[in-house]
Amino acid sequence: MRAIPVAARAYIFGAVLCAVVCALPAVRHAAAVPWSAVLLLAGLYAACEMPARCRYIGKSVPVGAGSFFPVLLAGAFLLPPAAAALVAVPGALLGRVDQRPAGVRRIWRAAQLALATWGAAQTYLLLAGEPTPRAPDFPYALLPAAAGALVFCLVLTALDGGILATAEQLPLRTAWRGLLLRSLAPHCVHGLAGLMMAVLWRSPYGPLSALFVLLPMYISCWIFAQYHRERAAHQATIRALVQAVDIKDKYTRGHSERVGRASVLIARELSMDEARLELLRFAGILHDVGKLGVPTRVLRKDGPLTPQERRVIELHPEYGHDMVRGIGFLGEARAAILHHHERLDGSGYPYGLVGRQIPEFARVVAVADAFDAMTSTRSYRRARPVAVALEELKRCAGTQFDPQMVRALVRALERHGWETAVTSDEAGVGAGAGAGSGVGTAGRGVRGNVPPQPDQGRVTVPGRDTGTAGRPG
């Protein structure tokens, strides 16, 4: 657990201790526990989790977090709370874990699911009364089951937010934002499926009939897994496009990834939800993909651009937007690719939008793009220190950049810092370029929407890094 922060260790230990306390009555009053049902449900949940660990079928079997929560909720509706908490433990300890440390993650997952199942069982017991051997009565069982599923969801999301806050050192508000809304509908469906399992379990057809409830759940998981495979294919396409840009314009190596990272830092300070954060990261990564449509001789030209060459390179946002038009899940990111060179005063391109007419994502990417380009080494100048780049962004806030985005970047860098790798061909050019900034900043960036050198005066959009002596891009 050396890689886990102390606060996260304490949080995990507390969750495990609470889970043990919740399950302890089942051991102390073992005679009153229907152990056959506990073992059957625990074995069923473990069997559902096991295929994902097999290297031969794990990639094809759509088992993910929450795929078989109906089994746990059925246990919450059939068993005393302490016994229901035990149902999740074997499956959680045997389930697949993709990140290390695997042992700690399995223990955390077992404690988390045990507490959530215990909470659901307590709620159901409070509203429905003592569990009986007969099937729950309809429609009266719906309200207790819905309340139990809601508590199950609340406990899981609360614990997830807490571990994000302690392990990733995120603010609590940021860690919990969006978790409940994303989980509520799936967990309500799981609660209904769990109630159906409980009804069939107590019916004359017995526990075996309850297994039929898992079939539609498995099919829905398969459909969901197909969606994620398609999404992964799109992401692979995105990576290939970025690599193609890096190869075509040697000065952009690593720039796209850094712009994506800086965009996410800004977005976190603005308290954007996690779903939008991912889209914004894609926007930052793909913002210059349109340079694939710009002639290589123009991109790599060391001297000043002619007016015609400048007009050609200013077309790259529209090229990029056309290239990603068919990638449906990008959503708002497409607008950022098209408009990241617009300016608040209306002198940007391609459409000269003014102020709030510029999409929010585009205003974020514009600041991230300018910051990385200023703090990256180019063939015609060294990288600027971070502090100097931030001052230039502040100077241009209100005319070129959104002041809110600039302030968010300043706060984010004060909290997290900024480091980029120095590539081998830059070592001689950019050595010491970031001296005095307290942060390493060498690394080639794209010819972006960046303010000019201090002696170049007022910032204008045309220019290699903007300014009067450079290129648009």
Side-chain angles (χ1 to χ4, degrees), residues 27 53 78 159 208 239 284 292 315 343 457-458 463 465:
V27 179
R53 295 196 63 180
L78 289 168
L159 291 173
L208 187 62
R239 287 193 296 270
L292 290 173
L315 291 173
R343 292 177 48 139
R458 182 175 63 86
D465 289 299

PDB file of all heavy atoms in Angstrom, residues 27 53 78 159 208 239 284 292 315 343 457-458 463 465:
ATOM      1  N   VAL A  27     -22.627 -13.843  12.436  1.00  0.00           N
ATOM      2  CA  VAL A  27     -21.774 -14.853  13.057  1.00  0.00           C
ATOM      3  C   VAL A  27     -22.209 -15.104  14.491  1.00  0.00           C
ATOM      4  O   VAL A  27     -22.241 -16.246  14.961  1.00  0.00           O
ATOM      5  CB  VAL A  27     -20.302 -14.399  12.998  1.00  0.00           C
ATOM      6  CG1 VAL A  27     -19.397 -15.427  13.676  1.00  0.00           C
ATOM      7  CG2 VAL A  27     -19.874 -14.177  11.555  1.00  0.00           C
ATOM      8  N   ARG A  53     -12.181 -12.993 -15.041  1.00  0.00           N
ATOM      9  CA  ARG A  53     -10.785 -13.230 -14.669  1.00  0.00           C
ATOM     10  C   ARG A  53     -10.092 -14.214 -15.606  1.00  0.00           C
ATOM     11  O   ARG A  53      -8.867 -14.300 -15.606  1.00  0.00           O
ATOM     12  CB  ARG A  53     -10.702 -13.769 -13.240  1.00  0.00           C
ATOM     13  CG  ARG A  53     -11.174 -12.786 -12.184  1.00  0.00           C
ATOM     14  CD  ARG A  53     -10.718 -13.201 -10.811  1.00  0.00           C
ATOM     15  NE  ARG A  53      -9.257 -13.192 -10.704  1.00  0.00           N
ATOM     16  CZ  ARG A  53      -8.580 -13.516  -9.592  1.00  0.00           C
ATOM     17  NH1 ARG A  53      -9.235 -13.891  -8.518  1.00  0.00           N
ATOM     18  NH2 ARG A  53      -7.273 -13.492  -9.569  1.00  0.00           N
ATOM     19  N   LEU A  78     -34.092 -10.761   0.682  1.00  0.00           N
ATOM     20  CA  LEU A  78     -34.408 -12.103   1.174  1.00  0.00           C
ATOM     21  C   LEU A  78     -33.824 -12.410   2.539  1.00  0.00           C
ATOM     22  O   LEU A  78     -34.334 -13.270   3.260  1.00  0.00           O
ATOM     23  CB  LEU A  78     -33.883 -13.149   0.179  1.00  0.00           C
ATOM     24  CG  LEU A  78     -34.598 -13.271  -1.166  1.00  0.00           C
ATOM     25  CD1 LEU A  78     -33.788 -14.131  -2.128  1.00  0.00           C
ATOM     26  CD2 LEU A  78     -35.995 -13.853  -0.978  1.00  0.00           C
ATOM     27  N   LEU A 159     -19.314   6.308  -0.956  1.00  0.00           N
ATOM     28  CA  LEU A 159     -18.012   5.676  -0.733  1.00  0.00           C
ATOM     29  C   LEU A 159     -17.076   5.900  -1.916  1.00  0.00           C
ATOM     30  O   LEU A 159     -15.868   6.110  -1.728  1.00  0.00           O
ATOM     31  CB  LEU A 159     -18.196   4.183  -0.468  1.00  0.00           C
ATOM     32  CG  LEU A 159     -18.876   3.825   0.867  1.00  0.00           C
ATOM     33  CD1 LEU A 159     -19.166   2.329   0.936  1.00  0.00           C
ATOM     34  CD2 LEU A 159     -18.012   4.236   2.041  1.00  0.00           C
ATOM     35  N   LEU A 208     -33.902 -21.909  -8.395  1.00  0.00           N
ATOM     36  CA  LEU A 208     -33.428 -22.072  -9.758  1.00  0.00           C
ATOM     37  C   LEU A 208     -34.145 -21.131 -10.724  1.00  0.00           C
ATOM     38  O   LEU A 208     -33.535 -20.619 -11.682  1.00  0.00           O
ATOM     39  CB  LEU A 208     -33.622 -23.525 -10.200  1.00  0.00           C
ATOM     40  CG  LEU A 208     -33.025 -23.890 -11.563  1.00  0.00           C
ATOM     41  CD1 LEU A 208     -31.508 -23.711 -11.550  1.00  0.00           C
ATOM     42  CD2 LEU A 208     -33.390 -25.329 -11.928  1.00  0.00           C
ATOM     43  N   ARG A 239      -6.254   8.513 -31.402  1.00  0.00           N
ATOM     44  CA  ARG A 239      -4.800   8.414 -31.173  1.00  0.00           C
ATOM     45  C   ARG A 239      -4.045   8.374 -32.503  1.00  0.00           C
ATOM     46  O   ARG A 239      -2.975   8.985 -32.635  1.00  0.00           O
ATOM     47  CB  ARG A 239      -4.490   7.169 -30.339  1.00  0.00           C
ATOM     48  CG  ARG A 239      -4.888   7.296 -28.874  1.00  0.00           C
ATOM     49  CD  ARG A 239      -4.286   6.183 -28.040  1.00  0.00           C
ATOM     50  NE  ARG A 239      -4.793   4.879 -28.442  1.00  0.00           N
ATOM     51  CZ  ARG A 239      -5.867   4.304 -27.932  1.00  0.00           C
ATOM     52  NH1 ARG A 239      -6.575   4.942 -27.012  1.00  0.00           N
ATOM     53  NH2 ARG A 239      -6.263   3.111 -28.320  1.00  0.00           N
ATOM     54  N   GLY A 284      -9.093  18.975 -26.591  1.00  0.00           N
ATOM     55  CA  GLY A 284      -7.717  19.450 -26.534  1.00  0.00           C
ATOM     56  C   GLY A 284      -6.774  18.594 -27.356  1.00  0.00           C
ATOM     57  O   GLY A 284      -5.887  19.108 -28.052  1.00  0.00           O
ATOM     58  N   LEU A 292      -3.685  18.120 -40.783  1.00  0.00           N
ATOM     59  CA  LEU A 292      -3.456  17.069 -41.776  1.00  0.00           C
ATOM     60  C   LEU A 292      -3.839  17.537 -43.172  1.00  0.00           C
ATOM     61  O   LEU A 292      -3.347  16.996 -44.175  1.00  0.00           O
ATOM     62  CB  LEU A 292      -4.250  15.813 -41.404  1.00  0.00           C
ATOM     63  CG  LEU A 292      -3.768  15.039 -40.171  1.00  0.00           C
ATOM     64  CD1 LEU A 292      -4.741  13.930 -39.827  1.00  0.00           C
ATOM     65  CD2 LEU A 292      -2.376  14.482 -40.394  1.00  0.00           C
ATOM     66  N   LEU A 315      -7.261  27.642 -42.342  1.00  0.00           N
ATOM     67  CA  LEU A 315      -8.367  26.738 -42.658  1.00  0.00           C
ATOM     68  C   LEU A 315      -8.366  25.481 -41.797  1.00  0.00           C
ATOM     69  O   LEU A 315      -9.326  24.705 -41.832  1.00  0.00           O
ATOM     70  CB  LEU A 315      -8.312  26.333 -44.138  1.00  0.00           C
ATOM     71  CG  LEU A 315      -8.623  27.432 -45.166  1.00  0.00           C
ATOM     72  CD1 LEU A 315      -8.353  26.906 -46.575  1.00  0.00           C
ATOM     73  CD2 LEU A 315     -10.069  27.895 -45.040  1.00  0.00           C
ATOM     74  N   ARG A 343     -11.612  34.786 -31.026  1.00  0.00           N
ATOM     75  CA  ARG A 343     -11.187  35.699 -29.953  1.00  0.00           C
ATOM     76  C   ARG A 343     -12.392  36.416 -29.380  1.00  0.00           C
ATOM     77  O   ARG A 343     -13.370  36.674 -30.088  1.00  0.00           O
ATOM     78  CB  ARG A 343     -10.195  36.725 -30.501  1.00  0.00           C
ATOM     79  CG  ARG A 343      -8.869  36.148 -30.911  1.00  0.00           C
ATOM     80  CD  ARG A 343      -7.956  37.205 -31.502  1.00  0.00           C
ATOM     81  NE  ARG A 343      -7.904  38.402 -30.676  1.00  0.00           N
ATOM     82  CZ  ARG A 343      -6.788  39.081 -30.422  1.00  0.00           C
ATOM     83  NH1 ARG A 343      -5.638  38.686 -30.936  1.00  0.00           N
ATOM     84  NH2 ARG A 343      -6.812  40.158 -29.675  1.00  0.00           N
ATOM     85  N   GLY A 457       4.925  43.454 -28.886  1.00  0.00           N
ATOM     86  CA  GLY A 457       3.790  44.341 -28.694  1.00  0.00           C
ATOM     87  C   GLY A 457       2.467  43.603 -28.673  1.00  0.00           C
ATOM     88  O   GLY A 457       2.362  42.507 -28.181  1.00  0.00           O
ATOM     89  N   ARG A 458       1.463  44.246 -29.212  1.00  0.00           N
ATOM     90  CA  ARG A 458       0.094  43.778 -29.087  1.00  0.00           C
ATOM     91  C   ARG A 458      -0.100  42.407 -29.734  1.00  0.00           C
ATOM     92  O   ARG A 458       0.459  42.113 -30.770  1.00  0.00           O
ATOM     93  CB  ARG A 458      -0.829  44.789 -29.782  1.00  0.00           C
ATOM     94  CG  ARG A 458      -2.306  44.458 -29.681  1.00  0.00           C
ATOM     95  CD  ARG A 458      -3.121  45.573 -30.292  1.00  0.00           C
ATOM     96  NE  ARG A 458      -2.818  45.701 -31.719  1.00  0.00           N
ATOM     97  CZ  ARG A 458      -3.427  44.979 -32.654  1.00  0.00           C
ATOM     98  NH1 ARG A 458      -4.316  44.076 -32.305  1.00  0.00           N
ATOM     99  NH2 ARG A 458      -3.124  45.150 -33.931  1.00  0.00           N
ATOM    100  N   GLY A 463      -0.272  34.848 -36.970  1.00  0.00           N
ATOM    101  CA  GLY A 463       1.077  34.720 -36.449  1.00  0.00           C
ATOM    102  C   GLY A 463       1.371  33.291 -36.143  1.00  0.00           C
ATOM    103  O   GLY A 463       0.487  32.518 -35.815  1.00  0.00           O
ATOM    104  N   ASP A 465       2.906  32.024 -33.572  1.00  0.00           N
ATOM    105  CA  ASP A 465       2.418  31.853 -32.215  1.00  0.00           C
ATOM    106  C   ASP A 465       1.452  32.964 -31.885  1.00  0.00           C
ATOM    107  O   ASP A 465       1.106  33.192 -30.750  1.00  0.00           O
ATOM    108  CB  ASP A 465       3.578  31.878 -31.220  1.00  0.00           C
ATOM    109  CG  ASP A 465       4.422  30.648 -31.319  1.00  0.00           C
ATOM    110  OD1 ASP A 465       3.904  29.568 -31.104  1.00  0.00           O
ATOM    111  OD2 ASP A 465       5.610  30.802 -31.611  1.00  0.00           O
TER     112      ASP A 465
END
